Amino acid sequence: MSASAHTPAPHPAAPASTPPIAPRALLVRGLLVGLLAGLVSFGVSAVVGEPTIDAAIAYEESVAPAPEPGAPAEDELVSRGTQATWGLGAASVAVGGALGGLVALGAALAIGRLGRLDPTRATAVVAAVGFVAVALVPWLAFPANPPGVGDPGTIGSRTLAWFGLLDVSVLTALAAVVVAVRLATRLDAYAAGVLAAAGYLVVVLVTVALLPDPAPLGDVPAQVLWDFRLASLLTLTTLWGVLGVGLVGTVRRLQRDVVARADRRALAASL
């Protein structure tokens, strides 16, 4: 019997693992998507938000006491026209760009660390958790008020309470994601997600109960208040929605490019 008969057949080479998405590429695209999200949210705010602010200012002026005769008029540091156009647009784009960079960094850290989730789904989870923890929960606990509503003397305490809730919400959301990933190794993914979400909700509700109550609203018309808060929520949802959809689509395209390059290198190595 020949020696070749005893030689085992060579095993096929194991496919090379797919290279990860470069964090720098993800960050750059996150910034660009964030700028676009800020621009779109500016358009929404200009259409649905500015009329509610004008209505609130008109109400505030209608109930304000008349100035004393001969009293000097107060000078506006920034005109209302500038606030509603260039000021609002610049702030929206800047916030969108910064937020896009932060979410992109969060996605870069989450990819490969959320169990079996691929980069696209991991990015969607980061965007969804970010919207809930950063935007939705603080808005529900401390909804935005139009100009002239609330006690000016409580602005400092209300600001501290809002930032305190934001910190607790973000840190608890991060802990909930970590707990969900670890529980998923023992339970099914659905049960792990439900338990983690329930823990997050309990911590947030306890925190809100311990924080001071919002300031009294006064006699502001209910329709003015509702329209303003609805517009603020719509603007926030637009910002995060465009950011999430755009970033998920970007990661999906980056992943396809990475896989295609890896396949080409594998094919070239086999020739």
Side-chain angles (χ1 to χ4, degrees):
M1 188 176 294
S2 62
S4 61
H6 299 282
T7 305
H11 295 285
S17 59
T18 303
I21 298 175
R24 180 179 179 181
L26 189 54
L27 175 60
V28 171
R29 286 161 177 79
L31 291 171
L32 294 177
V33 171
L35 293 176
L36 175 62
L39 187 61
V40 175
S41 68
F42 162 64
V44 172
S45 180
V47 172
V48 302
E50 287 304 312
T52 64
I53 295 179
D54 291 337
I57 292 176
Y59 167 77
E60 182 184 13
E61 292 176 347
S62 66
V63 298
E68 297 181 2
E74 295 183 1
D75 295 332
E76 289 184 328
L77 297 178
V78 181
S79 67
R80 173 71 185 130
T82 301
Q83 294 175 14
T85 53
W86 296 107
L88 178 61
S92 300
V93 172
V95 169
L99 193 60
L102 291 174
V103 176
L105 289 177
L109 292 174
I111 291 175
R113 295 180 173 88
L114 296 184
R116 298 180 180 180
L117 294 183
D118 60 17
T120 301
R121 291 183 175 86
T123 303
V125 169
V126 170
V129 171
F131 169 70
V132 172
V134 177
L136 184 59
V137 166
W139 185 91
L140 291 174
F142 297 98
N145 290 329
V149 175
D151 183 5
T154 63
I155 291 179
S157 60
R158 283 183 286 157
T159 302
L160 289 177
W162 186 88
F163 275 108
L165 176 61
L166 177 64
D167 293 341
V168 171
S169 178
V170 171
L171 293 176
T172 307
L174 293 175
V177 171
V178 173
V179 170
V181 172
R182 294 186 177 182
L183 287 178
T185 61
R186 303 179 181 179
L187 309 172
D188 62 274
Y190 176 78
V194 169
L195 289 176
Y200 168 81
L201 185 60
V202 169
V203 173
V204 167
L205 289 177
V206 170
T207 302
V208 172
L210 295 176
L211 291 175
D213 295 332
L217 298 177
D219 298 327
V220 59
Q223 191 63 45
V224 172
L225 183 64
W226 168 252
D227 290 343
F228 180 85
R229 289 181 171 177
L230 185 61
S232 69
L233 180 60
L234 182 60
T235 302
L236 277 176
T237 305
T238 300
L239 175 64
W240 279 92
V242 174
L243 179 59
V245 172
L247 198 55
V248 167
T250 296
V251 170
R252 185 178 182 183
R253 182 173 180 178
L254 284 174
Q255 183 66 12
R256 284 203 305 262
D257 294 343
V258 167
V259 171
R261 287 195 299 268
D263 291 342
R264 288 195 298 267
R265 286 196 295 267
L267 178 61
S270 65
L271 298 177

